[in-house]
Amino acid sequence: MKKNFVFITTDHQRKDTIHMIQNNMEVTPNLNILARESIEFENAYTSCPLCVPARTSLATGIFPTKLNVVINDLKKSPLETIKYKTLHEYLQDAGYKVSHFGMQHITLEPKLEDRVNFYKYITDDDYEKICKKNNMPLFGVEEDRVEVDEKHGAIYEKKKYTGSRVSVFEKDRKLYRDEFYKDKLFEYLENENFEEPVAIFLNLWSPHPPLNVLKEYIDKFKNPKLPRNINKICKNEPQNRRKGIAAQLAQEHSMEHWKRVWEAYLGMTSYADEIIGAFIQKLKDKGIYENTVIVFTADHGDHLGQHKMYQKMEMYDQAIKIPLLMKIPNVNHKKVETNVSHLDVLPTLLDYLQIENNKESFDGESLFKYIQNNNFPKERFVYSQYSGNQVAIGDIRRAIVGNKIKYVWDGDTQEELFDLAIDPLEMNNLASNKDYLEVKEKLKEKLKRFLQNENDWINI
């Protein structure tokens, strides 16, 4: 009997929100329950701290530079993507009835909706119609926008991005973006008989900015406890980090401002968690929960004022470390400390579901053999890249994470090296420390070889 399949993502959700306690409350109680029934990856990393490259890479198991999907340009579908199949296609070819609810930020040629005969397909486009009908902005109001100098090639140009302003959603709750996606999903579940195997993708928007929060959640986590490095720049920070978008979006905000940001962010995360909990309960009510594979992850995290930065677009763990849970029927809960990547997700799932594939074509590795044998390697290397946000190639970041050590190279010969074992908040850049020279050079060389294999145009 084939397993049913559920793949859930949120947007901008940090790894540390799972099991987080604020005001004596769990921020994600439903995900915490799911985690206790799942393989729980403690050190999972995105391949890019940017929505579209991260999601396209996650769907294909291919690193962004090889796909040529490195910026948030949904209108451009690179020809390089033609030869790569997505998880959605593998599932359809294996006989699954595939449905999608939520954002669809995967850039491919042909487009995902032209590759897959979706049974139900609800996306941003459907929500945009709701917004137009009710005179609502799709991506926030002008007051949410912050002007920055964005690097485009060799020049800087003015561009506006969503900042950290907090506001309350004043309209009917049913018009809230994720509420719309949830209602459409639940309508489908009520009428689905599950006589054939189904694959359901739920991509929630929360806690993505703008921080426009339902009033029921705006004050749920008042006066939260914040990390020690809010509004603090790391020692020996490369000079050009202050020119990056994440640093410009943070501006000169007070601790009180960041407390309000965290209150809003945690409220939105809690709201997403409640939707996920209700979804899981529906699966239980239908009697199919035990026989369903459930994967939960996020595209990337958010700095939320740490390193005096906001949003993502840098290589600190707040931006690139993500939650990753895999509930696999008849596989017991385990916390895995080994580094894993978004690139590993697709080959792992295909292995477990026994769907035929060319393992050699993926940039990640199937983890299923480690899961089966309960024997994960102590050291694995994972990689992430950033190449600018929109319009054109801009700020460059390339990162490799080994066993509690991270190296970052940025295209301007400026480097970062962090010993995560003694400096988990990444506040002391050791790139110029002679005691770490040997380990830095080894990581740099390993990163260089990886990027050469990934068609990266950057020569370290």
Side-chain angles (χ1 to χ4, degrees):
M1 181 180 180
K2 279 187 177 178
K3 306 290 190 293
N4 291 300
F5 181 84
V6 166
F7 201 108
I8 305 170
T9 66
T10 51
D11 204 309
H12 278 244
Q13 186 168 349
R14 298 157 51 115
K15 164 65 176 70
D16 59 4
T17 55
I18 308 297
H19 302 301
M20 180 183 283
I21 302 293
Q22 293 280 5
N23 291 355
N24 296 315
M25 292 185 292
E26 294 177 288
V27 175
T28 60
N30 296 293
L31 284 171
N32 295 348
I33 293 171
L34 180 65
R36 291 192 285 271
E37 300 176 2
S38 302
I39 306 297
E40 188 173 1
F41 295 95
E42 294 292 278
N43 293 292
Y45 286 86
T46 182
S47 60
C48 180
L50 195 63
C51 303
V52 170
R55 291 182 181 277
T56 308
S57 183
L58 175 61
T60 59
I62 305 298
F63 197 67
T65 57
K66 188 182 288 185
L67 290 170
N68 195 22
V69 179
V70 295
I71 60 175
N72 268 353
D73 190 346
L74 286 166
K75 297 178 181 178
K76 178 185 177 184
S77 297
L79 293 176
E80 288 88 340
T81 62
I82 288 176
K83 58 185 176 182
Y84 298 113
K85 287 178 66 172
T86 61
L87 175 58
H88 312 67
E89 293 168 88
Y90 280 111
L91 291 166
Q92 177 179 259
D93 293 347
Y96 284 80
K97 186 162 65 174
V98 184
S99 296
H100 173 100
F101 301 87
M103 307 110 52
Q104 202 294 80
H105 289 172
I106 297 173
T107 297
L108 299 165
E109 178 63 38
K111 297 183 183 303
L112 184 64
E113 56 267 35
D114 295 328
R115 294 175 175 223
V116 179
N117 183 24
F118 285 103
Y119 182 70
K120 293 290 182 182
Y121 188 63
I122 303 296
T123 72
D124 325 48
D125 294 338
D126 298 286
Y127 183 65
E128 186 172 5
K129 294 173 185 176
I130 299 294
C131 290
K132 288 179 178 178
K133 183 178 179 181
N134 290 276
N135 194 29
M136 292 165 44
L138 182 62
F139 293 115
V141 296
E142 184 61 26
E143 290 87 345
D144 292 319
R145 314 294 279 177
V146 175
E147 188 174 77
V148 302
D149 292 316
E150 182 176 14
K151 188 176 183 181
H152 296 153
I155 65 172
Y156 284 87
E157 296 180 302
K158 299 291 184 184
K159 192 164 181 64
K160 288 188 176 182
Y161 282 94
T162 305
S164 55
R165 174 178 175 266
V166 174
S167 62
V168 177
F169 187 77
E170 300 286 358
K171 292 185 177 289
D172 189 322
R173 177 170 173 152
K174 285 189 173 293
L175 299 177
Y176 200 62
R177 186 190 294 251
D178 284 332
E179 197 76 5
F180 169 75
Y181 297 146
K182 181 203 74 173
D183 288 346
K184 292 298 182 183
L185 168 63
F186 285 9
E187 286 174 16
Y188 159 70
L189 292 173
E190 287 299 322
N191 297 309
E192 178 57 56
N193 57 27
F194 297 99
E195 291 180 355
E196 56 187 299
V198 301
I200 303 171
F201 290 82
L202 174 62
N203 291 355
L204 296 175
W205 176 257
S206 299
H208 192 294
L211 299 173
N212 186 225
V213 192
L214 287 168
K215 58 180 177 292
E216 298 94 322
Y217 299 87
I218 189 72
D219 291 326
K220 186 173 182 178
F221 297 98
K222 289 294 289 181
N223 197 30
K225 183 178 180 180
L226 304 187
R228 298 190 310 275
N229 61 342
I230 296 288
N231 269 349
K232 293 181 180 178
I233 298 170
C234 80
K235 183 180 179 181
N236 303 318
E237 180 190 73
Q239 185 178 5
N240 62 9
R241 294 299 182 272
R242 292 299 106 192
K243 295 180 180 179
I245 296 171
Q248 294 183 67
L249 288 175
Q251 297 190 23
E252 296 300 325
H253 291 309
S254 67
M255 289 298 292
E256 287 305 310
H257 172 83
W258 290 119
K259 281 185 179 181
R260 193 59 173 159
V261 166
W262 276 72
E263 289 168 1
Y265 178 88
L266 295 174
M268 293 175 74
T269 302
S270 172
Y271 167 68
D273 179 78
E274 288 187 14
I275 291 177
I276 293 167
F279 182 16
I280 289 173
Q281 186 59 52
K282 291 281 186 184
L283 298 176
K284 291 179 178 178
D285 293 344
K286 289 284 186 176
I288 64 167
Y289 175 77
E290 297 298 331
N291 193 45
T292 298
V293 177
I294 301 178
V295 178
F296 170 75
T297 190
D299 50 357
H300 52 72
D302 195 305
H303 291 96
L304 298 179
Q306 290 179 265
H307 289 96
K308 206 171 185 179
M309 293 178 176
Y310 182 64
Q311 287 213 37
K312 55 273 188 176
M313 299 170 278
E314 293 287 355
M315 292 298 169
Y316 301 114
D317 270 9
Q318 296 89 49
I320 66 171
K321 196 170 185 179
I322 40 88
L324 177 59
L325 309 175
M326 290 187 183
K327 185 194 84 70
I328 301 175
N330 302 317
V331 175
N332 292 331
H333 167 258
K334 179 179 177 59
K335 281 193 175 185
V336 175
E337 298 292 336
T338 303
N339 289 341
V340 300
S341 167
H342 266 173
L343 299 172
D344 302 320
V345 173
L346 176 57
T348 300
L349 294 172
L350 296 182
D351 249 16
Y352 171 72
L353 295 170
Q354 298 183 335
I355 296 176
E356 187 175 344
N357 64 92
N358 179 9
K359 296 179 182 179
E360 302 304 316
S361 67
F362 299 121
D363 289 328
E365 175 189 18
S366 172
L367 306 173
F368 191 60
K369 57 183 176 292
Y370 305 131
I371 295 172
Q372 280 183 308
N373 299 329
N374 195 24
N375 184 25
F376 280 80
K378 291 183 178 179
E379 183 170 50
R380 275 183 97 238
F381 295 92
V382 293
Y383 305 87
S384 192
Q385 72 85 46
Y386 176 74
S387 300
N389 197 309
Q390 298 186 58
V391 181
I393 298 300
D395 291 323
I396 298 297
R397 308 285 187 262
R398 301 292 186 264
I400 177 173
V401 185
N403 190 9
K404 295 295 182 182
I405 195 85
K406 179 194 290 183
Y407 172 78
V408 182
W409 186 86
D410 69 4
D412 290 328
T413 69
Q414 298 193 52
E415 303 170 302
E416 288 178 294
L417 184 74
F418 296 104
D419 187 335
L420 301 176
I422 62 174
D423 181 27
L425 292 179
E426 299 164 283
M427 292 304 291
N428 185 17
N429 177 16
L430 300 167
S432 60
N433 187 317
K434 60 184 180 182
D435 293 336
Y436 283 81
L437 180 60
E438 183 178 354
V439 68
K440 184 185 79 169
E441 291 304 317
K442 285 183 178 179
L443 288 171
K444 185 175 182 178
E445 181 60 29
K446 194 168 185 66
L447 176 61
K448 179 179 181 178
R449 292 198 304 270
F450 176 81
L451 296 178
Q452 288 172 342
N453 291 331
E454 300 307 312
N455 300 341
D456 202 312
W457 66 96
I458 300 301
N459 185 23
I460 293 181

